[in-house]
């Protein structure tokens, strides 16, 4: 069972909906997944059971999932991210930090093996975009890539309530120049996308068996393609959430990205007009066009 938010055609208001395994879309009488989870808790049943009760006597939408204008599946107040949780990421970080001397014993090697994982602040609700929204490029970087990642959707207690797809856009040259520049290499307007859906945690048999694929198109031609699996993750999800929660407030609906396992070839950088597609088995496909940065104001 998956959860989406979409813009209702007539009222143009955000609407929560459940997607069944048969891909039927059922609007739900709640504003967010968090409300559904809270109500299920009161009833002492699992969110999936509560949703099954809710949709039992209703009809699905006539429109298919593809015909809907999808929004972020949750307005995550904060997005945090984990780093160097896959061997592939460790190698890529070493490459950019050492001008290609892959045998270097850097702090990336150390963090990969350390008890404490790398966890950093990635985005806020205002900077995060959903399916088909524009991802922006930084104007002061010449080496930018998407980072396709599994995202954990958390309750205020830090419980994993679902899984989504996230893109941790990154500037390899800025981070490679100096690790103290990490916030600038990672966080700017529209540098993070999540969606298209949240797969309810209790419906996932083994979260270490998600298949992740990333495709980048330029002028409608596939220019980068890579695949990996969460079974290559060095850490457990509980470990990552445990460090995020430690002495910290977790706002309900926070998303924790779990690190990248796919890195485009070293000579590749994103360009205006590219299209990024990230697919995760059971969750769906998150597609975003890439645009040169435009000035932003806070609404
Ligand atoms: O060390 C920098 C961050 C790496 C990262 O974002 C990742 O491994 O996904
Ligand atoms: Mg990342």
């Amino acid at each position: 069972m998956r959860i989406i938010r979409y813009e209702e055609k007539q009222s143009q208001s955000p609407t929560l909906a459940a997607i069944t395994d048969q891909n039927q879309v059922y609007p739900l009488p709640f504003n967010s997944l968090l409300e559904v989870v809270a109500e299920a808790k009161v009833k002492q049943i699992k969110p999936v059971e509560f949703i099954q009760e809710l949709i039992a006597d209703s009809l699905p939408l006539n429109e298919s999932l593809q015909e809907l204008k999808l929004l972020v599946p949750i307005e995550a107040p904060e997005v945090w991210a984990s780093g160097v949780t896959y061997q592939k990421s460790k190698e890529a970080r070493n490459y950019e930090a050492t001008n290609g001397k892959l045998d270097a014993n850097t702090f990336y090697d150390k963090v990969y093996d350390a008890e404490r994982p790398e966890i950093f602040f990635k985005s806020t609700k205002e900077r995060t975009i959903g399916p088909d929204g524009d991802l922006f490029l930084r104007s002061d970087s010449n080496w930018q890539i998407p980072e396709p990642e599994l995202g954990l959707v958390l309750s205020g207690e830090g419980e994993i309530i679902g899984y989504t797809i996230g893109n941790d856009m990154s500037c390899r040259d800025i981070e490679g120049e100096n690790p103290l520049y990490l916030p600038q290499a990672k966080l700017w307007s529209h540098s993070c996308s999540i969606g298209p859906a949240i797969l309810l945690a209790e419906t996932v048999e083994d979260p270490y068996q998600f298949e992740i694929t990333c495709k980048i198109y330029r002028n409608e031609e596939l220019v980068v393609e890579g695949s990996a699996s969460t079974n290559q993750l060095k850490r457990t999800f509980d470990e990552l959430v445990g460090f995020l929660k430690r002495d910290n407030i977790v706002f309900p609906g926070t998303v924790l990205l779990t690190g990248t396992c796919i890195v485009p070839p070293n000579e590749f950088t994103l360009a205006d007009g590219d299209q990024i597609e990230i697919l995760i088995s059971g969750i769906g496909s998150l597609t975003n066009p890439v645009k040169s940065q435009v000035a932003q104001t806070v609404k």
Side-chain angles (χ1 to χ4, degrees), residues 144-214:
Q144 303 189 59
I145 55 162
E147 289 193 352
E149 305 191 11
L150 179 73
L152 312 176
V153 182
L154 304 177
S155 70
E157 290 77 42
E159 189 194 345
I160 300 170
I161 58 178
Y163 300 94
T164 191
I165 304 174
N167 185 346
D168 169 25
M169 292 278 282
S170 298
C171 301
R172 296 186 71 180
D173 47 358
I174 296 179
E175 180 177 347
E177 187 180 341
N178 190 322
L180 297 178
Y181 294 149
L182 187 75
Q184 294 173 77
K186 293 289 189 177
L187 194 161
W188 63 94
S189 187
H190 291 215
S191 67
C192 179
S193 60
I194 58 169
I198 297 169
L199 180 60
L200 293 178
E202 66 271 24
T203 65
V204 177
E205 211 167 284
D206 183 356
Y208 299 97
Q209 293 300 335
F210 283 116
E211 294 300 321
I212 306 178
T213 298
C214 180

Side-chain angles (χ1 to χ4, degrees), residues 76-81 118-129 135-141 143-145 147 149 167-175 178-193 255 257 293 296 298:
E78 294 184 344
V79 178
W80 289 75
E118 178 193 359
I119 293 184
F120 59 92
F121 189 73
K122 172 64 190 176
S123 191
T124 57
K125 170 162 73 73
E126 296 77 7
R127 295 180 176 91
T128 306
I129 56 152
L135 284 165
F136 291 160
L137 293 172
R138 263 196 92 104
S139 58
D140 57 358
S141 168
W143 195 13
Q144 303 189 59
I145 55 162
E147 289 193 352
E149 305 191 11
N167 185 346
D168 169 25
M169 292 278 282
S170 298
C171 301
R172 296 186 71 180
D173 47 358
I174 296 179
E175 180 177 347
N178 190 322
L180 297 178
Y181 294 149
L182 187 75
Q184 294 173 77
K186 293 289 189 177
L187 194 161
W188 63 94
S189 187
H190 291 215
S191 67
C192 179
S193 60
V255 170
L257 304 180
Q293 167 89 306
Q296 285 294 295
V298 178

Side-chain angles (χ1 to χ4, degrees), residues 81-86 89-90 93 96 108 111 118 120 147 149 168 170 175 182 186 258-261:
S82 319
V84 199
T85 51
Y86 290 88
S89 176
K90 184 181 81 165
R93 306 291 79 84
E96 68 217 18
Y108 293 114
V111 82
E118 178 193 359
F120 59 92
E147 289 193 352
E149 305 191 11
D168 169 25
S170 298
E175 180 177 347
L182 187 75
K186 293 289 189 177
T258 54
T260 191
C261 46

Side-chain angles (χ1 to χ4, degrees), residues 5-24:
R5 287 169 70 249
Y6 68 96
E7 189 180 283
E8 207 276 323
K9 254 194 200 139
Q10 262 161 13
S11 64
Q12 293 189 334
S13 45
T15 304
L16 192 74
I19 315 291
T20 63
D21 294 346
Q22 292 71 40
N23 276 326
Q24 289 184 308

